[in-house]
Amino acid sequence: TMDRGELSPSIIQEMGELFVRELSQVVPELVQGDLDGIEQTLQGLGRRVLGRVAEETIAVIEAGRRKEAVRCPHCHHPMRLVDAARPRSLQGLVGDYQLVRAYFYCDRCPKGYAPLDEQLGIGPGLFSPGLARVACRLGIEKSFPEAADALGEALHMTVIDESVRRTTEGIGEVAEAEQQAAVARAKKGDEPVQSDQEAPATGILAVEVDGAMIHLEKEWHETKVGVVSPLGPKEVVDHDSGRVHLRLEDQSYCVGLEKAEEFWYRVYAEACRRGLGGLAVVLVVVLGDGAD
């Protein structure tokens, strides 16, 4: 059954029996608790059972993977198998997982590689892709210890501060690399990015830029911020003046520590992603605070 890429009836039955056993053990705790206690108990039960379901599902996927020669994703040189069943531990949104998969090594690069990790979209670190997205969002908005506490409380699990930091900064490095690639294309006179957004309904694109001082590495630096947004068609009334103006719609941001001349390339790339250069954008409104 595993060769056909399916969960066998015996595995499904085993998972069902596991759920019944786990539920039977926590029934006294459930009926004596308040709603908060009931939810936390069921979260713990769910993580134990669903973690096993995820492990079995991934084992089926690995067993059904085509056993063909593996080439290095970097240099495309044939890789050698160093471990047919290398384990990897992950924390996920629905449970903790122990994955077992084939692991290869490239002598030319030299780098290790597990094809299943790429197939499942698993990056470096301890978190599953879904948990990594949530951790990154919290890591941006809060301190890393606060983000770890929030994750632990929401998902009823133990989260290490360092894992949140590495995940947040790792995803940030990927995003920055993408922006720098777009900046490099813009400097060469090429189209930096293709627009992946709906065209502004009014044909108006707003671009705002400003700076703020931050303390970094024992010195003060100006970090520059750009905001790009379609303008209108909805209107709002300014609270102070009573004037009616078009509303900023879905806003996206770019941030950099570089000089203003360099930062404009970053803003330009983001504006292009939001539709600048397309026929639908007929007017660009740029707002600044008077700096040259």
Side-chain angles (χ1 to χ4, degrees):
T1 355
M2 295 183 73
D3 291 336
R4 297 202 307 267
E6 300 174 358
L7 284 172
S8 67
S10 61
I11 292 178
I12 294 175
Q13 181 178 355
E14 180 185 343
M15 294 298 99
E17 292 172 353
L18 173 63
F19 174 76
V20 172
R21 286 198 306 272
E22 291 286 344
L23 181 59
S24 299
Q25 292 177 4
V26 299
V27 164
E29 188 176 346
L30 286 174
V31 297
Q32 294 178 6
D34 56 14
L35 183 56
D36 183 49
I38 292 171
E39 287 188 328
Q40 290 193 32
T41 300
L42 290 177
Q43 274 187 309
L45 182 152
R47 292 191 65 81
R48 293 191 296 274
V49 175
L50 295 179
R52 284 286 307 280
V53 173
E55 289 177 350
E56 294 290 349
T57 303
I58 293 169
V60 169
I61 295 172
E62 170 68 354
R65 193 176 54 80
R66 287 186 292 180
K67 302 301 186 288
E68 55 191 23
V70 175
R71 292 186 174 273
C72 176
H74 305 284
C75 70
H76 306 294
H77 188 265
M79 305 182 78
R80 59 183 175 88
L81 177 66
V82 295
D83 194 340
R86 174 166 292 193
R88 179 178 180 182
S89 297
L90 286 177
Q91 288 183 303
L93 289 173
V94 298
D96 297 332
Y97 318 132
Q98 182 78 7
L99 315 186
V100 178
R101 72 273 196 263
Y103 192 81
F104 299 81
Y105 192 80
C106 176
D107 295 306
R108 178 178 290 184
C109 281
K111 287 184 178 179
Y113 174 64
L116 182 67
D117 291 2
E118 181 178 14
Q119 182 177 344
L120 295 177
I122 303 172
L126 186 62
F127 294 158
S128 71
L131 183 56
R133 287 194 299 271
V134 178
C136 181
R137 180 68 177 267
L138 290 172
I140 290 171
E141 297 176 348
K142 302 175 179 291
S143 70
F144 298 137
E146 288 175 328
D149 288 344
L151 276 177
E153 182 177 358
L155 299 178
H156 200 51
M157 58 186 286
T158 301
V159 181
I160 303 172
D161 303 357
E162 182 65 11
S163 294
V164 176
R165 183 191 69 79
R166 290 182 178 179
T167 298
T168 306
E169 293 182 352
I171 293 177
E173 289 173 0
V174 172
E176 177 63 11
E178 292 176 351
Q179 288 201 2
Q180 287 301 323
V183 167
R185 289 191 293 270
K187 288 182 176 180
K188 288 167 46 179
D190 299 332
E191 183 179 6
V193 290
Q194 290 187 342
S195 175
D196 60 358
Q197 306 282 314
E198 291 186 8
T202 59
I204 306 174
L205 196 66
V207 177
E208 298 186 45
V209 291
D210 207 345
M213 300 303 293
I214 62 170
H215 198 256
L216 182 66
E217 297 176 349
K218 299 181 180 180
E219 294 181 353
W220 287 96
H221 301 267
E222 184 189 49
T223 181
K224 298 167 182 64
V225 182
V227 183
V228 182
S229 168
L231 197 56
K234 293 183 178 179
E235 298 177 341
V236 292
V237 179
D238 181 75
H239 177 73
D240 296 323
S241 66
R243 294 179 178 176
V244 178
H245 59 85
L246 295 176
R247 190 180 76 173
L248 290 172
E249 300 298 337
D250 184 30
Q251 301 168 46
S252 60
Y253 302 84
C254 56
V255 181
L257 286 168
E258 60 266 11
K259 294 181 179 180
E261 294 79 5
E262 293 290 317
F263 182 66
W264 273 112
Y265 284 106
R266 191 188 293 267
V267 178
Y268 171 65
E270 180 59 23
C272 288
R273 191 181 72 83
R274 301 303 304 274
L276 178 65
L279 296 177
V281 174
V282 296
L283 179 64
V284 180
V285 179
V286 180
L287 301 178
D289 62 358
D292 293 340

